[in-house]
Amino acid sequence: MEHDIPASQKDRQLPMIINLRGDEDLVDEFNWDADQVMEFLGIKRSRLTQISGKELRVARIRRDRYLRPVYRESDVRDYQEWTRATATHQSSSRAIEQAIDSLDDRFSDILVVLQEKLLQYEDRSTSLLKKQLHKLDAAGFDRFQTLRDEAEIQRGLGERQEKQQARALDQIQHQNEMLSAWHKELQDLRAFLGSFHQDIRALLVAQQALRRDMEVAQAALHTAIEQQTASLTASWQAVQDTLAAVQAGQNQILKQTEKEEAPPPQPAPAPMRRSTRRPPHIRAKRMPVVRSENAEGLAP
């Protein structure tokens, strides 16, 4: 059964997209995965996704609970031969690549728009070529070959531009990631400054409250000191008054003592009973006993 097969695939018996269950005979032929195809053709995953099912035959098979794309080696080699450029095309491609490398990242938006236009032009060119392939006969094959070479040149240019655009997009993505990281750090710093400001305000409020408490405590302490000072002054005045009264009493006692005179010593009489008691001032002060020469041998 003939299918709508592009010129990049020689085998026209199979469709461009095949869904495999795993028990078909063709399963062993589709033995290349996407990484092997990208490494062999030297393209990226975005380009492989773009050409899979359109210019390169792809089969889908369920592996690890997911549908995985697989490819045939013969189809990949046919696609490589179809996209191989001539020496003139390679030199032109190198010159264009050098010119593209000199562009600044500021033209990224223009490159994206140009990529969309080129993809649209490629789709239209591919559709036109498919229609022309069915209409052309043997007499017009040379003209078809010329058109196909031109399409290959345009496709090669498109691939070069897509690679450059992919690099530019990678740089933009890296810059966006850096900007996101800086934005996150700025938000963290802003949050830290906000919490620090709140802590400073709370500290100022606590400091003001502490200052008011200290003022109240100082006033209470000053009042207590004044009261204690007044109490001590009154106590000291009372002590001084007491000391003055004691000193006055002592002075009065000393004066009274000086006025009193002790009686002269009397010879000791014969033992006899005392008829009178001692005066109070004699009892208060014990007098020394004086013995007389005439009273020797007598009892006191």
Side-chain angles (χ1 to χ4, degrees):
M1 179 179 180
E2 292 293 336
H3 300 278
D4 189 8
I5 307 299
S8 60
Q9 304 294 292
K10 295 180 181 180
D11 189 359
R12 299 182 177 274
Q13 299 298 324
L14 296 175
M16 294 298 293
I17 300 176
I18 304 173
N19 294 319
L20 299 176
R21 295 188 305 273
D23 55 352
E24 295 87 347
D25 296 335
L26 297 174
V27 173
D28 296 335
E29 296 182 11
F30 289 89
N31 55 356
W32 280 25
D33 57 6
D35 294 333
Q36 291 176 330
V37 175
M38 288 188 293
E39 183 178 0
F40 182 78
L41 296 177
I43 60 177
K44 293 186 176 181
R45 187 173 297 275
S46 59
R47 177 59 181 167
L48 180 61
T49 303
Q50 183 181 0
I51 65 176
S52 296
K54 296 180 181 179
E55 300 173 4
L56 179 62
R57 184 175 287 106
V58 62
R60 297 172 179 173
I61 188 170
R62 184 175 296 277
R63 292 178 180 175
D64 299 332
R65 299 185 299 175
Y66 297 99
L67 289 176
R68 306 288 185 181
V70 291
Y71 304 86
R72 287 199 312 178
E73 182 180 358
S74 58
D75 295 334
V76 177
R77 294 186 182 277
D78 292 341
Y79 178 80
Q80 186 187 35
E81 293 178 359
W82 181 69
T83 57
R84 186 173 297 166
T86 59
T88 304
H89 170 62
Q90 291 177 356
S91 60
S92 301
S93 299
R94 285 194 296 270
I96 293 173
E97 183 177 1
Q98 292 176 358
I100 292 175
D101 291 337
S102 63
L103 293 178
D104 192 36
D105 294 336
R106 294 176 296 177
F107 299 100
S108 59
D109 296 335
I110 299 176
L111 293 177
V112 172
V113 175
L114 180 60
Q115 181 183 8
E116 295 177 355
K117 296 296 183 182
L118 289 175
L119 291 176
Q120 294 176 2
Y121 175 76
E122 183 180 0
D123 293 336
R124 290 196 298 268
S125 300
T126 303
S127 177
L128 179 62
L129 287 175
K130 288 180 180 179
K131 292 179 182 178
Q132 292 297 329
L133 284 173
H134 292 289
K135 294 179 181 179
L136 286 177
D137 55 0
F141 182 75
D142 294 336
R143 179 61 180 169
F144 167 74
Q145 186 68 30
T146 303
L147 292 174
R148 191 178 68 177
D149 293 339
E150 291 178 356
E152 289 178 356
I153 293 173
Q154 294 295 333
R155 189 173 291 107
L157 293 175
E159 291 179 358
R160 297 291 185 183
Q161 291 177 353
E162 286 177 0
K163 292 180 180 179
Q164 180 64 25
Q165 291 169 2
R167 287 195 295 267
L169 291 175
D170 292 338
Q171 293 178 358
I172 292 174
Q173 185 177 3
H174 180 66
Q175 292 179 355
N176 289 332
E177 291 176 355
M178 292 178 62
L179 289 175
S180 299
W182 292 346
H183 182 66
K184 183 177 180 181
E185 292 178 357
L186 182 60
Q187 288 181 347
D188 294 339
L189 181 59
R190 185 177 298 172
F192 174 74
L193 291 177
S195 62
F196 181 73
H197 180 66
Q198 292 179 357
D199 294 339
I200 290 297
R201 291 183 60 184
L203 184 61
L204 289 176
V205 172
Q207 185 178 4
Q208 291 177 358
L210 181 60
R211 182 179 297 173
R212 289 194 297 269
D213 294 340
M214 289 181 65
E215 290 176 355
V216 173
Q218 287 179 357
L221 181 62
H222 182 68
T223 304
I225 289 173
E226 289 180 352
Q227 293 177 356
Q228 188 69 24
T229 302
S231 177
L232 291 176
T233 303
S235 299
W236 177 248
Q237 186 64 36
V239 169
Q240 286 183 349
D241 294 340
T242 303
L243 291 176
V246 171
Q247 186 68 30
Q250 288 180 356
N251 293 332
Q252 186 176 3
I253 291 172
L254 290 176
K255 290 179 180 180
Q256 291 177 1
T257 306
E258 290 177 356
K259 291 180 179 180
E260 293 177 357
E261 294 179 356
Q266 297 291 333
M272 56 183 300
R273 295 183 64 183
R274 294 180 180 177
S275 60
T276 60
R277 297 177 59 91
R278 287 184 180 178
H281 65 274
I282 298 177
R283 289 201 306 266
K285 185 175 180 181
R286 187 175 180 180
M287 300 298 294
V289 178
V290 180
R291 294 180 180 271
S292 176
E293 296 178 358
N294 297 324
E296 289 181 2
L298 298 177

